[in-house]
Amino acid sequence: MAAAPPSYCFVALPPCSKDGLVVFGKNSARPRDEVQEVVYFAAAEHEPGSKVECTYIEIEQVPRTHAVVLSRPSWLWGAEMGANEHGVCVANEAVVTREPASESEALLGMDLVRLGLERGATAKEALDVIVALLEEHGQGGNYYEDGSSCHTFQSAFLIVDRNEAWILETSGKYWAAEKITEGVKCICNQLSLTTKIDAEHPELRNYVKSQGWWNGDSDFNFSEVFSLADDHLACCSGRESLEKQGGDVSAQAMIDVLRDKDSGVCVDSESFLTTASIVSVLPQDPSFPCIHYFTGTPDPSRSIFKPFIFVDDVKLVPKVQSPSFGNDDPAKKIPRFQEKPDRRHELYKAHEWARSLLENDQDKGQKLMRIMLDLEKQGLEAMEDILSRTEILDPAEVVDLFYDCVDTELKFFK
């Protein structure tokens, strides 16, 4: 059974976070050569009876979908992580449980990330959407763009809004969830829920009893019941770093944790790389905007986090979107993945050039990195200013925000 990629997701809620903000972050560890793109989809109305084509299967569409911004492997429909216009953030983790994941094509955990964001206006609504779709359609299919082997996993999710977070862990259609209202939480590629369960599949306990995994006499511990051997041990390097901040976890503190290679949070191994990262800052006061920072490029220690704010008519950013191959995409043809097209977007290619500069000319590379980090710092300070103002944000001020940041980054690379 394949090991799940070692991604990390974090949330810090008051009293651990700065200025009463909720701070969310994720590093997406995926196959080294996989490209992630950052894409925006506006809110939309849909005709009754219409369908939506997910990565592998088609399902019923809902009458209205929320605006979403997503960081996703560019060959699939769903997302590794993202946010919606209502300040909901969702991230997915591939996990291995004692129940083998299905190779039959169904919804991927990454499809469920996008569906939860498109259909849920709060963290709890997004959770309800995800578990209802799991019940109806199941999860399964290849997690990677790989024609030679099918890599299947179960799913865990961190679902966050301005007020609370939920950890949702699944095995097949069965699931359990824990509500978090304070402090720091981390999830990774292992199950983490134990005996504190605030919501669960109605048949969960009967099912595990019928499998002989739990006798019903001892406390029900989700990780112990569903994990392989001792796979459910604490896995959250990085959590300590955030907890050490006291009540001061900020966007910058979350970025620093995501960049940390020594702790293993920033993955750079033979098989896997952190192919994209996100940090979101969610003010509990709804009169302030949520701010979402995306890298759109691999390895956050060599990438910069660029801010995005939801406003009407936000400017699209083709330079972080991969080329589209339509129905000719090898991911859509059966048998799938018989070839791998070049999915690199413009920012990804520029970032590759910068990486080779860092490796081959350290002085020039370090100088470029200092310039880029200074650019990032200016962006963080400008966003802090927006969150400390008393007047309401003028949408015209930020409609080009992410576009301009990507454009400036590209100019420095050139």
Side-chain angles (χ1 to χ4, degrees):
M1 190 179 286
S7 296
Y8 288 87
C9 304
F10 301 93
V11 65
L13 298 108
C16 290
S17 52
K18 193 176 179 183
D19 304 329
L21 301 165
V22 175
V23 186
F24 163 86
K26 173 172 179 182
N27 271 352
S28 170
R30 299 278 303 167
R32 285 194 73 87
D33 60 348
E34 186 177 79
V35 178
Q36 277 201 40
E37 59 180 350
V38 179
V39 286
Y40 168 81
F41 297 98
E45 309 283 337
H46 305 279
E47 293 291 320
S50 60
K51 306 273 191 186
V52 55
E53 193 178 318
C54 302
T55 302
Y56 297 130
I57 64 167
E58 196 176 68
I59 66 169
E60 299 289 325
Q61 185 54 285
V62 289
R64 180 180 167 79
T65 48
H66 307 309
V68 296
V69 60
L70 309 169
S71 184
R72 68 176 187 184
S74 54
W75 60 271
L76 52 75
W77 179 86
E80 271 281 283
M81 52 216 179
N84 72 18
E85 60 185 303
H86 301 290
V88 180
C89 299
V90 184
N92 161 255
E93 293 283 351
V95 290
V96 174
T97 70
R98 68 195 301 169
E99 188 143 44
S102 171
E103 290 192 10
S104 301
E105 292 188 347
L107 291 172
L108 286 174
M110 291 170 282
D111 293 335
L112 291 163
V113 169
R114 178 170 173 180
L115 291 162
L117 289 169
E118 288 187 338
R119 302 177 181 198
T122 65
K124 182 61 168 61
E125 274 183 25
L127 183 146
D128 292 341
V129 164
I130 289 169
V131 299
L133 289 167
L134 258 185
E135 182 72 27
E136 189 177 351
H137 301 287
Q139 58 182 320
N142 203 342
Y143 248 68
Y144 301 148
E145 186 184 16
D146 183 352
S148 61
S149 182
C150 188
H151 309 264
T152 61
F153 299 102
Q154 311 287 9
S155 306
F157 303 88
L158 182 59
I159 309 169
V160 179
D161 64 22
R162 292 175 185 264
N163 301 303
E164 63 189 34
W166 286 84
I167 293 173
L168 168 63
E169 297 185 343
T170 71
S171 186
K173 68 175 186 177
Y174 295 97
W175 59 273
E178 179 185 359
K179 182 178 175 178
I180 315 290
T181 54
E182 60 178 31
V184 172
K185 269 290 185 195
C186 163
I187 68 166
C188 64
N189 61 340
Q190 299 172 11
L191 297 176
S192 65
L193 295 182
T194 56
T195 53
K196 183 183 180 296
I197 293 173
D198 297 302
E200 64 185 68
H201 188 286
E203 288 301 310
L204 174 68
R205 297 182 193 224
N206 288 339
Y207 174 68
V208 296
K209 273 188 197 169
S210 73
Q211 298 295 307
W213 298 341
W214 179 61
N215 59 17
D217 298 331
S218 55
D219 284 346
F220 181 76
N221 181 316
F222 187 83
S223 296
E224 282 185 3
V225 168
F226 278 98
S227 292
L228 292 162
D230 290 329
D231 203 26
H232 59 278
L233 303 170
C235 68
C236 266
S237 3
R239 183 176 164 179
E240 295 86 1
S241 313
L242 289 175
E243 284 171 340
K244 277 181 202 152
Q245 303 274 335
D248 234 16
V249 176
S250 59
Q252 183 65 65
M254 187 66 80
I255 288 170
D256 291 344
V257 165
L258 296 183
R259 284 186 167 139
D260 186 359
K261 287 195 172 173
D262 292 342
S263 68
V265 169
C266 180
V267 175
D268 189 352
S269 69
E270 202 176 318
S271 312
F272 297 113
L273 181 67
T274 298
T275 52
S277 306
I278 181 177
V279 167
S280 293
V281 174
L282 317 175
Q284 294 191 299
D285 178 345
S287 64
F288 289 101
C290 297
I291 301 171
H292 311 284
Y293 300 88
F294 291 91
T295 58
T297 50
D299 188 348
S301 72
R302 294 193 301 246
S303 293
I304 64 168
F305 287 79
K306 299 163 283 289
F308 174 97
I309 294 176
F310 281 93
V311 288
D312 290 339
D313 304 317
V314 71
K315 192 167 181 180
L316 299 179
V317 189
K319 290 166 182 173
V320 286
Q321 287 175 256
S322 294
S324 170
F325 299 95
N327 290 329
D328 290 332
D329 196 314
K332 291 188 175 171
K333 292 177 176 175
I334 308 288
R336 299 192 197 274
F337 313 128
Q338 296 306 293
E339 51 187 314
K340 261 193 188 179
D342 183 356
R343 300 188 187 275
R344 294 173 303 158
H345 48 72
E346 195 175 331
L347 184 64
Y348 187 97
K349 288 177 182 173
H351 191 263
E352 282 186 318
W353 169 84
R355 186 178 69 197
S356 71
L357 182 70
L358 269 168
E359 285 165 0
N360 299 318
D361 186 336
Q362 287 212 323
D363 288 346
K364 268 191 186 166
Q366 294 300 332
K367 187 181 174 189
L368 176 66
M369 207 58 227
R370 281 195 296 275
I371 293 168
M372 304 310 283
L373 289 173
D374 192 50
L375 191 66
E376 177 185 89
K377 187 167 176 256
Q378 289 170 35
L380 285 162
E381 286 168 356
M383 295 306 102
E384 277 182 20
D385 177 57
I386 284 172
L387 294 181
S388 60
R389 287 183 200 170
T390 46
E391 70 271 17
I392 288 175
L393 178 71
D394 175 5
E397 196 185 329
V398 295
V399 75
D400 297 345
L401 176 65
F402 189 64
Y403 182 97
D404 288 344
C405 290
V406 170
D407 214 42
T408 307
E409 184 177 2
L410 276 165
K411 278 177 185 152
F412 275 113
F413 284 148
K414 284 173 179 170

